[in-house]
Amino acid sequence: MLDEIVLRDGKVLHFPQGCNNAPRKELLVQFYANILESRSSNLSQVVSPAITWKEIHNTYVEGAENINLWLIERHKDIEEMNIESIITHGKEAAVKGTYISNNELTYFCDVFEFKSAGKQAPIIEVTSFRMNE
């Protein structure tokens, strides 16, 4: 079953129930909520200043400030996001799901690398896979 957060501007984020007992899963749900609500100051709290984000066959962005601006611009038209699964292990995590933007369905999988396996470790690298239906 999925929980949901209704964000400002009526955007909806669905995510797997039970994330509250896994701190890194909860952090990633909040990460996507911050992107959808364009809260770049909150994004800066969980990413390394030297973060890199690679979107396969499309984009390579470097640095926290550039990535925050790019993420917000890239996701501004998303109306609804469904996070189907969040897998975390050690210093890595993966988030798989779909979103609707401009009446188009997109499948995504983001693979995260954290600086360490510690709960407070910042995100240092993300590799994204996207496919439109």
Side-chain angles (χ1 to χ4, degrees):
M1 298 220 5
L2 296 177
D3 279 336
E4 75 176 28
I5 301 171
V6 178
L7 306 165
R8 66 178 174 185
D9 299 333
K11 295 179 179 188
V12 180
L13 174 63
H14 301 274
F15 58 95
Q17 281 185 343
C19 288
N20 58 355
N21 66 347
R24 188 145 292 157
K25 289 182 179 183
E26 191 173 326
L27 177 138
L28 289 168
V29 168
Q30 283 306 309
F31 182 77
Y32 287 96
N34 290 332
I35 292 170
L36 294 176
E37 288 193 323
S38 302
R39 292 187 283 170
S40 62
S41 61
N42 291 0
L43 293 172
S44 298
Q45 296 174 10
V46 297
V47 301
S48 165
I51 185 175
T52 59
W53 195 299
K54 296 179 265 187
E55 194 171 82
I56 301 302
H57 301 300
N58 196 14
T59 305
Y60 180 85
V61 184
E62 209 168 358
E65 188 174 317
N66 293 333
I67 286 173
N68 288 343
L69 295 173
W70 174 76
L71 283 173
I72 289 168
E73 180 63 29
R74 173 86 164 84
H75 296 87
K76 70 179 180 184
D77 294 327
I78 291 178
E79 302 145 28
E80 183 173 355
M81 179 178 276
N82 291 306
I83 296 175
E84 297 167 8
S85 66
I86 302 172
I87 301 168
T88 63
H89 184 73
K91 66 179 199 164
E92 297 178 324
V95 178
K96 176 186 81 146
T98 60
Y99 59 82
I100 299 171
S101 178
N102 298 317
N103 294 319
E104 184 173 62
L105 180 65
T106 300
Y107 296 88
F108 75 92
C109 180
D110 295 331
V111 179
F112 293 83
E113 182 179 342
F114 293 81
K115 187 170 184 168
S116 72
K119 292 179 187 176
Q120 302 300 317
I123 300 166
I124 60 171
E125 182 180 289
V126 183
T127 302
S128 293
F129 300 87
R130 301 273 189 276
M131 186 175 81
N132 294 335
E133 186 168 82

